[in-house]
Amino acid sequence: MRDWAVARRERTRHLIELGGLVIKAGLVDLTDDDRSTLYGALLTVADRLRGEERANALALWKRKGKRAFEAEQDGG
């Protein structure tokens, strides 16, 4: 397989996984699948990560995400 095809497949898989996280977090249902709302929410997160609270936000969100993944693996 050509390098560009491998890179394209890797990128596609990455994008699908990120979309899966949006669904897993319940954002699609909570926003009635409104793409503008989802994009606005993600822009708000990005703004926070550009600010002074970056380190605190990353630490908090990482802990929360790890706990959610662990709870899912434990069955609930």
Side-chain angles (χ1 to χ4, degrees), residues 7-72:
R8 182 174 176 214
R9 282 189 180 195
E10 289 174 2
R11 181 178 183 274
T12 299
R13 179 179 174 90
H14 184 76
L15 293 173
I16 290 168
E17 289 172 350
L18 292 174
L21 291 173
V22 171
I23 293 168
K24 184 179 280 214
L27 294 173
V28 174
D29 292 335
L30 291 169
T31 61
D32 294 325
D33 200 9
D34 184 308
R35 310 294 167 90
S36 295
T37 302
L38 286 168
Y39 188 41
L42 293 170
L43 290 172
T44 300
V45 169
D47 286 343
R48 186 159 179 198
L49 291 174
R50 288 186 194 99
E52 294 177 13
E53 292 296 314
R54 174 186 171 81
N56 290 336
L58 284 174
L60 173 71
W61 295 337
K62 186 173 191 170
R63 270 194 318 271
K64 189 168 189 165
K66 280 185 175 185
R67 287 182 187 147
F69 278 132
E70 289 168 2
E72 184 179 294

